[in-house]
Amino acid sequence: MTTILCYGDSNTYGYNPVNGLRYPKDVRWTGVLQKMLGEEYEVIEEGCNGRTTVFEDAKEPWKAGLGYLRPCLNTHKPIDFVIMMLGSNDLKRMFHASAQEIADGAEELVKVIKEFTKEKQGYIPKVVLVSPPEIGKDIAASEFARSFDEDAIIRSKELSVLYERIAKKYGCIFFDAAKVVESSRVDSLHLMPEAHKKLAEAFYDRISF
């Protein structure tokens, strides 16, 4: 059994931008990937709405990805792959984070994954570092405009180059989600069902699980 841990935010959780609910499992990219890979694989969904890399929201500090990462890795071990897609929520205006600071947060999580799994399960899983989809051009008209300003669009476009450098530095598999899918026109932030399907197919085609 090959275990794949998918650690991400609302686009891993499967947030539906149309109604604010959660897509069914067979629509979420994680569920689609599970079906494509078959019974010899276990795709574990660890998506949380609002999850960041290391930044803490004063009202919901538990959404910082760093704090939950070690318990998550320990709970699901042994793990063979970690697909990490985070960074979108770090773009919120409350954090005042540059693209480089967001990438630094992602790097911190990559280091934790490698160091903690080596200690706790005796080997390091393959890490797929995913640069997230870009913020859509109409974010100012989105229901999430209170959290994201238009500068988030610019910074989101800068993440892929920085994430790719981190992947090379730590021997990760780099995956640029922005080259595969776009944020929905509904809210400029979340994925529509077809995008979930395309993302799963791209993971399946491009990564040797």
Side-chain angles (χ1 to χ4, degrees):
M1 177 72 74
T2 299
T3 301
I4 304 168
L5 175 66
C6 303
Y7 197 68
D9 53 29
S10 51
N11 277 325
T12 297
Y13 170 82
Y15 181 95
N16 184 337
V18 175
N19 57 22
L21 301 177
R22 191 183 193 186
Y23 287 126
K25 186 176 181 67
D26 62 352
V27 174
R28 303 192 294 265
W29 70 260
T30 45
V32 177
L33 181 61
Q34 175 70 78
K35 185 175 181 179
M36 296 177 73
L37 290 171
E39 296 180 355
E40 294 183 0
Y41 293 80
E42 181 182 13
V43 178
I44 300 171
E45 301 177 304
E46 279 287 357
C48 176
N49 295 338
R51 178 175 284 152
T52 64
T53 56
V54 299
F55 298 98
E56 291 189 0
D57 181 335
K59 294 182 179 179
E60 297 177 307
W62 52 270
K63 288 187 175 182
L66 181 60
Y68 180 61
L69 183 55
R70 289 180 179 87
C72 182
L73 293 168
N74 199 58
T75 296
H76 297 298
K77 69 178 191 285
I79 299 166
D80 300 294
F81 287 83
V82 177
I83 300 177
M84 189 179 82
M85 185 168 70
L86 287 171
S88 295
N89 289 300
D90 301 49
L91 294 162
K92 290 179 178 178
R93 57 164 57 94
M94 74 170 73
F95 299 125
H96 307 288
S98 67
Q100 183 61 62
E101 289 171 328
I102 295 169
D104 290 344
E107 180 176 2
E108 181 66 22
L109 268 61
V110 168
K111 289 192 291 186
V112 168
I113 292 169
K114 287 182 168 286
E115 293 169 1
F116 190 78
T117 54
K118 183 178 181 180
E119 174 189 353
K120 295 299 183 182
Q121 66 179 37
Y123 66 92
I124 300 171
K126 293 182 179 179
V127 179
V128 182
L129 179 58
V130 184
S131 178
E134 296 171 359
I135 303 297
K137 63 182 179 64
D138 295 322
I139 191 66
S142 167
E143 64 178 299
F144 294 98
R146 64 188 183 278
S147 298
F148 297 87
D149 54 31
E150 291 189 326
D151 182 63
I153 302 172
I154 298 171
R155 286 177 290 135
S156 73
K157 295 178 183 296
E158 298 172 350
L159 292 178
S160 67
V161 171
L162 299 172
Y163 276 42
E164 186 172 16
R165 289 175 187 167
I166 296 168
K168 289 179 179 179
K169 181 178 179 180
Y170 292 93
C172 303
I173 300 167
F174 174 68
F175 187 100
D176 188 352
K179 290 185 176 180
V180 178
V181 296
E182 295 181 354
S183 297
S184 73
R185 294 182 179 179
V186 177
D187 67 3
S188 293
L189 190 62
H190 297 102
L191 303 178
M192 297 297 284
E194 181 58 29
H196 275 269
K197 182 174 182 290
K198 288 176 65 177
L199 189 58
E201 291 172 344
F203 281 135
Y204 181 84
D205 291 339
R206 302 179 190 182
I207 299 172
S208 298
F209 290 111

